[in-house]
Amino acid sequence: MQAELTLKDIYLARQRIATLAERTPLLRSESLSRRWGCEVWLKLDNLQPTGAFKLRGSVNALSGLESEQRERGVVTMSTGNFGRALAYAGQHLGIPVKVCISHLVPDNKVEALRLAGADVVIHGATQDDADTQARRLQHENGLAYISPFDDPLVIAGQGTCGLEIMEQQPEIDTVFAGLSGGGLIAGIGLAVKTINPQAQVIGVSMNEGAAMLESLSAGHPVQVGEVASLADSLGGGIGLDNTWSFAMTQRYMDRGYRVDEAQIARAMLHLFNQEKLIVEGAAAVGIAAVEQHQIDLRGRRVALVISGQNVSPKTFAQACRLAGENDHAYL
């Protein structure tokens, strides 16, 4: 029987990642606070050195490797941001990193992976295909496989984001974050709910290919089809042999929402127009969920995790066009 992660693991992770990952700002959004009738704060993890929250878990996972494994190196699959973070951390820690991605990963993220020092392997049409290739390389080359989400050290590292939120604004009672493989929600949920058990932790996925939400509905991990989305970093499955993130998401996430592409586009444009932030679709899904589902947040203290800024000009232009084709009065 595996041991459960605790808040202590997140504190230990914070010590390990301090030299490479930033303690990011939590800034009040005047525009959203007025619109929703509550206090809204933006957790700006787009300001991490690699442009996304994934650096937290990557550094913690690599720091936990034995010296022999550090020499042989590691392999992962990624939609872009985790691989980039792992490669960045690997360069600083002297650990070779191989990253398997699918053909769905945008060109800007592929180039960023290579610039970060990753040995990039493009394989298959989905992240499940890329994961199969990563597992193959793990066994063929004696590499350590690091999951972007289903790994206790990764989850503890991502949990430092939730710990910072509660330290920066202890009265936060609602946290929105993107939901993909569940590593971010699991880590944030553990931190936030250990500190304030009454707090609400809300995950948001795109309409199609929401693997974790489908799995939670089924009561066990399931496979889903993967489609292109403005929130491309939320794509991919959770693994049928999921060990950590599925159970922790079940335990710590209070509600999950799906959002359509038009709402994601509108939210991205809002963050650009009102907050002067250029972000990925996955970073804007919290706003999209509140708007699309008309969630009543009056009187609450809300944190939105702005998870990353690694959006290509092509994708951002697509979001602007899509938002322009729809009613976007709230912008």
Side-chain angles (χ1 to χ4, degrees):
M1 184 177 180
Q2 67 184 23
E4 288 188 358
L5 287 177
T6 68
L7 191 61
K8 178 182 177 181
D9 295 298
I10 296 176
Y11 275 109
L12 291 173
R14 182 158 71 178
Q15 286 186 322
R16 297 190 195 102
I17 73 174
T19 58
L20 291 179
E22 295 290 333
R23 179 182 174 90
T24 57
L26 184 72
L27 300 183
R28 191 175 188 274
S29 169
E30 296 296 337
S31 64
L32 293 174
S33 296
R34 286 194 304 269
R35 178 167 178 80
W36 296 342
C38 62
E39 296 289 326
V40 181
W41 301 82
L42 307 178
K43 181 58 172 169
L44 299 182
D45 249 39
N46 57 307
L47 299 181
Q48 290 293 348
T50 57
F53 76 94
K54 297 282 191 176
L55 187 60
R56 298 173 182 272
S58 298
V59 177
N60 198 41
L62 290 184
S63 298
L65 292 175
E66 300 291 339
S67 58
E68 182 181 347
Q69 194 60 68
R70 285 175 175 239
E71 293 179 8
R72 286 201 297 267
V74 303
V75 63
T76 190
M77 67 88 168
S78 176
T79 53
N81 284 339
F82 184 78
R84 180 179 180 179
L86 201 67
Y88 176 90
Q91 276 197 325
H92 284 79
L93 299 174
I95 301 171
V97 174
K98 192 181 294 289
V99 180
C100 296
I101 60 175
S102 80
H103 288 283
L104 282 177
V105 175
D107 291 342
N108 71 301
K109 291 188 176 182
V110 178
E111 181 63 18
L113 281 166
R114 293 188 171 123
L115 289 174
D119 179 5
V120 180
V121 178
I122 303 176
H123 179 86
T126 69
Q127 286 310 113
D128 287 338
D129 294 337
D131 191 45
T132 298
Q133 179 69 4
R135 302 282 186 171
R136 184 180 300 120
L137 293 173
Q138 171 195 8
H139 297 298
E140 289 177 356
N141 301 319
L143 305 176
Y145 174 84
I146 298 180
S147 168
F149 49 84
D150 193 33
D151 180 291
L153 291 177
V154 169
I155 292 171
Q158 318 303 28
T160 61
C161 179
L163 181 59
E164 289 173 16
I165 288 172
M166 300 309 291
E167 289 177 339
Q168 290 163 320
Q169 287 292 332
E171 294 186 349
I172 289 291
D173 56 28
T174 308
V175 179
F176 286 82
L179 176 63
S180 180
L184 179 61
I185 283 287
I188 284 178
L190 170 59
V192 170
K193 284 184 167 290
T194 302
I195 295 169
N196 177 9
Q198 304 307 312
Q200 297 282 299
V201 175
I202 300 171
V204 188
S205 300
M206 60 284 186
N207 265 345
E208 298 184 64
M212 182 60 81
L213 289 180
E214 292 286 352
S215 297
L216 292 171
S217 179
H220 57 85
V222 298
Q223 288 183 310
V224 299
E226 189 173 347
V227 298
S229 170
L230 291 173
D232 55 82
S233 59
L234 298 184
I238 70 167
L240 296 181
D241 58 349
N242 190 290
T243 304
W244 291 90
S245 65
F246 175 73
M248 291 185 68
T249 300
Q250 273 187 318
R251 178 174 180 179
Y252 293 115
M253 189 178 79
D254 295 282
R255 284 174 286 160
Y257 291 97
R258 299 176 193 241
V259 290
D260 61 36
E261 295 298 298
Q263 287 289 352
I264 296 172
R266 294 171 68 193
M268 291 171 70
L269 202 55
H270 172 85
L271 286 168
F272 175 69
N273 285 334
Q274 300 297 325
E275 309 294 346
K276 309 309 175 189
L277 298 172
I278 298 177
V279 302
E280 303 172 39
V285 292
I287 297 173
V290 177
E291 292 294 324
Q292 181 171 334
H293 299 281
Q294 293 296 290
I295 302 170
D296 185 359
L297 297 173
R298 286 173 295 180
R300 300 191 71 86
R301 296 176 176 87
V302 180
L304 302 173
V305 178
I306 308 301
S307 55
Q309 64 184 16
N310 299 323
V311 60
S312 71
K314 179 180 177 181
T315 300
F316 191 75
Q318 179 187 351
C320 291
R321 286 194 300 271
L322 185 57
E325 294 167 1
N326 294 274
D327 173 23
H328 52 278
Y330 86 95
L331 300 175

